[in-house]
């Protein structure tokens, strides 16, 4: 079943656990659609500025200045504590599949060591 979440100048369509952001664009205000993650859907509803950042990212594949630096800081932090990938699954969206595979292996090892000590 399709669910539409309306925002300020955009809408997010949720269907079968997948999300698309849509807004009117161009001289004829034709709707455009871009796939986004659940995390970016949540971000889009935090504020007008966050919604604009998500729309730019969806359209261009690049975060506006300042946002990308925050993402990199978060990635470095999670890389130092990879168990956060298991404890907070949304962190997995920060990484590519190959990066994630390596980090999940480290996360499982770290949690196993932690369990061994307890």
């Amino acid at each position: 079943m399709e669910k539409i979440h309306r925002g300020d100048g955009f809408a997010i369509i949720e269907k079968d656990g997948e999300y698309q952001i849509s807004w009117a664009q161009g001289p004829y205000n034709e709707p455009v659609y871009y796939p986004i993650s659940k995390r970016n859907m949540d971000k889009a509803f935090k504020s007008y500025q966050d919604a604009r950042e998500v729309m730019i990212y969806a359209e261009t594949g690049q975060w506006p200045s300042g946002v990308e630096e925050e993402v990199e800081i978060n990635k470095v932090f999670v890389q130092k504590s990879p168990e956060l990938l298991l404890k907070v699954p949304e962190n997995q969206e920060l990484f590519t599949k190959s990066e994630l595979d390596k980090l999940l292996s480290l996360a499982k090892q770290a949690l196993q060591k932690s369990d061994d000590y307890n």
Side-chain angles (χ1 to χ4, degrees), residues 29-62:
N29 284 327
E30 293 290 323
V32 293
Y33 300 88
Y34 297 96
I36 62 170
S37 66
K38 167 85 166 88
R39 182 179 186 153
N40 283 341
M41 181 188 93
D42 294 340
K43 178 178 174 65
F45 287 105
K46 286 183 180 175
S47 71
Y48 181 81
Q49 179 64 34
D50 285 324
R52 297 294 158 233
E53 290 172 358
V54 169
M55 292 165 71
I56 290 168
Y57 178 75
E59 187 173 26
T60 67
Q62 304 224 354

Side-chain angles (χ1 to χ4, degrees), residues 1-35:
M1 185 163 141
E2 189 173 274
K3 187 173 184 181
I4 298 175
H5 306 272
R6 290 177 179 18
D8 185 11
F10 68 96
I12 294 181
I13 300 117
E14 176 182 355
K15 185 176 181 182
D16 299 327
E18 294 186 3
Y19 305 88
Q20 284 187 323
I21 190 166
S22 176
W23 65 89
Q25 188 175 41
Y28 301 108
N29 284 327
E30 293 290 323
V32 293
Y33 300 88
Y34 297 96

Side-chain angles (χ1 to χ4, degrees), residues 65-81:
S65 296
V67 175
E68 194 168 306
E69 289 81 11
E70 181 180 331
V71 170
E72 284 304 311
I73 289 168
N74 290 339
K75 282 179 74 170
V76 169
F77 181 77
V78 172
Q79 286 171 328
K80 290 179 181 177
S81 301

